[in-house]
Amino acid sequence: MTADRSGPAFSVQDIPFSTHGSWFGISPVVAEKTHAEDLHLVSHQNGMHAVLRLMPLDPVTGDRAETRVEARPGLLSWTGAAGRVDLAYESPDTVRLRGSGLGIAVRAAAQVLTPFSGTYLFHDAAAGAHVFTSYETGRRYRVTVLSGTAGTAGAQSLGSAERALTTVAEAGGTWEIAIEELDAARPPYTSAAAFDAIVASAQRSFGEFVDAVAPWRSSATPAAELAAYVVWSATVNPTGLVTRPAVLMSKHWMDKVWSWDHCFNALALAPGCPELARDQFALPFDHQDGGGALPDSVTHSEVLYNFVKPPIHGWAFGHLRRRLPTPPGRAELAEAYRRLERWTNFWLTARRTPGAAFPHYQHGNDSGWDNATTFDPERVVETADLSAFLILQLRELADLATDLDRPDEAGRWTRAAEETQAALLDQLWRDDRFVARGVGTGDTWSSASLLDLMPIVLGEHLPGHVGGALADHIKAHLTPYGLATELPTSPHYLDDGYWRGPIWAPATVLIEDGLRRAGHHRLADDISTRFRALCETHGFAENFDALTGTGLRDRAYTWTASSYLLLAEAHAHRADD
């Protein structure tokens, strides 16, 4: 199926307008849960910073013009009674704007300039352009007027001032400007490309991407193109501490790569964009520390190690290498083996107390389920989900060792997996469910969290009665919209409680996969159907209200979009069989 070259329409209230490779987007979301009246150029270098306010103008009065905003991949438009303003990306660091009947004001978002914060405006005579310099991003934003009449306010002003460049056209004409995000300097802006050609090129780029990642899409998977746009537009070029092309979780405030989120983006990209998929999987491993731990998160200017994330990477790499169009070569397998071995040994040493059979978390954040009720009694705990992920990682290491002709190592990893699973079933399985155990106290408890049921990821490795019991408990978490992370009947359930109720994409994908491998196909199909319908109706939010389906928190989350693509692709292939 070939994409409509204009792509799907979307609301910039939910999804930023951006392009593949860019570190900035155009959005009214200027901070966590904060929407501005106007669209802003929001950069993600050195954090999330609204740098420039973009305001359409009535050219007669000079006041803000009332407009409606429309967005599709490749073209953003403000349309009012008197005319329109269009914006398109010419390149990842440059946008072009064109207007007729309306003008534009490009204003510094910060009103105050201090020696350490704010935005300074001046005219660069060498480049024939106006430049806003931002302390927060450490970058410059150069505005070149290509046609029309420009005026400035606040150039070279210090302290509190209005700093702006306004552009209008002659009566009946058009104006055009270019805005670049740059470092210290570059040659004056020039371009032979006409605005319409820039739009066509951007639309073609997105069309090629969606054709690559979702060639299976049809009317039965109506959100596939928008999901692809969320992933495509959240991708940034290597800069700063981001060592590879990276899919950020969002170009809203969740503008990082967390060390389990990246796995779902890698899997969704693998068949159509294999090199980008490899980069997603590898990026956190580029920052693996001396003890083998992965960082909690990576972004432009910081790498955080105060927490880790669960070891789902063996599970993910096993799926990744099966999904790649060309199987990984020996050198790639050896590199993955080395990195997974160090990551596994971290859990078996730094996170396993002497004599213990399995490792522990030190906080809910380590699990990725930050505030799940599993962690209410204690935070330093042995949990069944952690051991289950580690068992799958041990089995993947055994498979890799076999492929690398290392039979002794393969045997060692296999024995470790079997011993860990035997201990898990012996020590943490109680009647029909798993319990958690405090490392310091030895106390055990169960909760109403879906986290307690995550060992279903062991799939075919589980004894039948264990898999069946887990499946029955999972059914109790299934609302009309998907899997609630806390039982809705629990006294601890919260509609917008993060991991204490809302539906999350990664839990859905992991559980659906485990159920299917354990032979519970009907329940897996039901979970997939409900989650896909949720995304098709409510978009790609960070998480969703389990009882209403409403999207919560960050509304343009890539692991949600990638999870939809994974489930939609699998559904499409099953329908073809």
Side-chain angles (χ1 to χ4, degrees):
M1 178 176 178
T2 301
D4 174 358
R5 291 302 99 172
S6 63
F10 60 91
S11 169
V12 292
Q13 297 295 316
D14 294 331
I15 301 172
F17 180 79
S18 192
T19 197
H20 188 94
S22 181
W23 277 90
F24 68 85
I26 309 299
S27 174
V29 180
V30 295
E32 183 175 356
K33 299 182 181 179
T34 304
H35 283 71
E37 183 178 18
D38 288 305
L39 299 185
H40 284 63
L41 186 154
V42 181
S43 180
H44 297 275
Q45 301 203 51
N46 288 322
M48 178 189 185
H49 302 289
V51 180
L52 301 176
R53 177 184 175 193
L54 307 176
M55 189 175 79
L57 296 177
D58 182 320
V60 177
T61 65
D63 296 332
R64 183 180 186 276
E66 291 301 317
T67 59
R68 70 177 185 275
V69 176
E70 299 171 327
R72 291 178 180 271
L75 181 64
L76 172 71
S77 300
W78 294 260
T79 305
R84 63 184 289 146
V85 175
D86 294 321
L87 181 151
Y89 277 83
E90 182 174 12
S91 69
D93 64 15
T94 302
V95 289
R96 287 264 288 268
L97 290 89
R98 178 183 68 181
S100 60
L102 297 176
I104 192 75
V106 180
R107 292 179 171 167
Q111 288 285 310
V112 178
L113 177 67
T114 78
F116 306 104
S117 66
T119 303
Y120 172 63
L121 171 64
F122 67 97
H123 181 258
D124 181 354
H130 296 82
V131 177
F132 295 86
T133 69
S134 167
Y135 275 99
E136 283 71 23
T137 68
R139 301 298 181 274
R140 296 175 170 225
Y141 301 84
R142 187 170 71 183
V143 185
T144 303
V145 178
L146 307 179
S147 62
T149 301
T152 60
Q156 300 188 49
S157 294
L158 306 177
S160 181
E162 177 76 19
R163 299 170 179 82
L165 171 72
T166 61
T167 309
V168 296
E170 299 294 335
T174 62
W175 57 263
E176 194 166 344
I177 63 175
I179 304 177
E180 304 164 87
E181 182 177 52
L182 50 86
D183 295 336
R186 65 170 57 157
Y189 174 85
T190 59
S191 175
F195 187 89
D196 290 339
I198 290 170
V199 174
S201 177
Q203 292 172 342
R204 185 166 55 252
S205 175
F206 170 69
E208 291 168 353
F209 179 84
V210 72
D211 284 345
V213 301
W216 38 262
R217 68 196 186 280
S218 70
S219 59
T221 55
E225 291 192 5
L226 187 56
Y229 175 75
V230 170
V231 175
W232 179 80
S233 63
T235 303
V236 295
N237 287 332
T239 304
L241 296 171
V242 174
T243 51
R244 303 163 182 264
V247 181
L248 302 179
M249 288 311 103
S250 175
K251 280 184 181 169
H252 288 322
W253 60 89
M254 300 295 281
D255 55 354
K256 298 184 179 185
V257 176
W258 277 268
S259 291
W260 70 312
D261 310 42
H262 69 113
C263 293
F264 300 91
N265 289 333
L267 293 177
L269 290 166
C273 299
E275 291 310 311
L276 185 59
R278 287 179 166 97
D279 285 331
Q280 300 326 295
F281 185 79
L283 194 151
F285 286 94
D286 291 346
H287 297 279
Q288 197 167 18
D289 78 1
L294 296 183
D296 185 43
S297 63
V298 179
T299 192
H300 174 269
S301 53
E302 67 177 16
V303 180
L304 302 182
Y305 292 93
N306 54 322
F307 294 107
V308 292
K309 285 294 175 275
I312 69 167
H313 303 83
W315 169 86
F317 189 74
H319 281 289
L320 178 65
R321 61 181 181 138
R322 288 187 290 273
R323 288 177 57 77
L324 290 169
T326 301
R330 189 177 182 86
E332 184 178 353
L333 293 179
E335 178 71 0
Y337 179 80
R338 183 184 67 82
R339 289 178 157 188
L340 286 174
E341 179 182 33
R342 296 182 63 229
W343 179 220
T344 302
N345 285 333
F346 162 80
W347 288 100
L348 295 176
T349 54
R351 291 300 182 88
R352 187 165 64 169
T353 57
F358 26 75
H360 59 266
Y361 292 130
Q362 295 176 341
H363 187 281
N365 288 1
D366 286 339
S367 74
W369 294 51
D370 308 3
N371 65 335
T373 54
T374 300
F375 301 100
D376 281 359
E378 300 179 39
R379 258 60 64 194
V380 183
V381 294
E382 297 171 342
T383 64
D385 69 293
L386 172 54
S387 289
F389 292 138
L390 192 64
I391 290 162
L392 292 178
Q393 192 152 292
L394 290 163
R395 293 189 180 279
E396 179 62 21
L397 282 167
D399 289 345
L400 286 168
T402 298
D403 291 345
L404 293 168
D405 301 319
R406 303 177 186 180
D408 291 344
E409 294 178 33
R412 175 165 58 86
W413 295 123
T414 298
R415 287 191 299 275
E418 291 172 348
E419 290 168 0
T420 304
Q421 182 162 326
L424 173 65
L425 294 170
D426 178 59
Q427 299 181 35
L428 296 186
W429 180 253
R430 298 283 191 277
D431 298 324
D432 66 344
R433 64 187 308 118
F434 285 103
V435 297
R437 182 167 62 193
V439 170
T441 64
D443 293 344
T444 62
W445 61 88
S446 62
S447 75
S449 174
L450 187 64
L451 183 63
D452 291 8
L453 309 178
M454 289 304 292
I456 194 65
V457 298
L458 288 169
E460 70 276 19
H461 304 296
L462 285 171
H465 72 283
V466 174
L470 291 175
D472 288 341
H473 288 303
I474 288 167
K475 288 177 189 176
H477 285 259
L478 195 55
T479 76
Y481 302 97
L483 290 169
T485 46
E486 179 81 4
L487 277 175
T489 56
S490 165
H492 304 294
Y493 177 88
L494 295 171
D495 292 339
D496 186 8
Y498 225 50
W499 293 93
R500 300 171 83 96
I503 295 164
W504 286 79
T508 301
V509 169
L510 286 161
I511 286 175
E512 193 268 356
D513 174 70
L515 285 168
R516 203 171 292 284
R517 289 187 292 107
H520 298 278
H521 296 282
R522 183 173 297 179
L523 180 56
D525 286 343
D526 194 7
I527 290 169
S528 172
T529 297
R530 295 188 196 201
F531 184 79
R532 286 183 283 110
L534 174 68
C535 293
E536 288 159 6
T537 304
H538 295 283
F540 305 104
E542 183 180 355
N543 53 72
F544 303 86
D545 186 314
L547 302 182
T548 68
T550 302
L552 302 171
R553 310 291 176 120
D554 196 310
R555 301 297 295 275
Y557 218 70
T558 56
W559 76 354
T560 307
S562 287
S563 294
Y564 176 84
L565 291 170
L566 285 167
L567 295 174
E569 177 192 6
H571 169 70
H573 291 333
R574 285 194 298 273
D576 290 340
D577 290 343

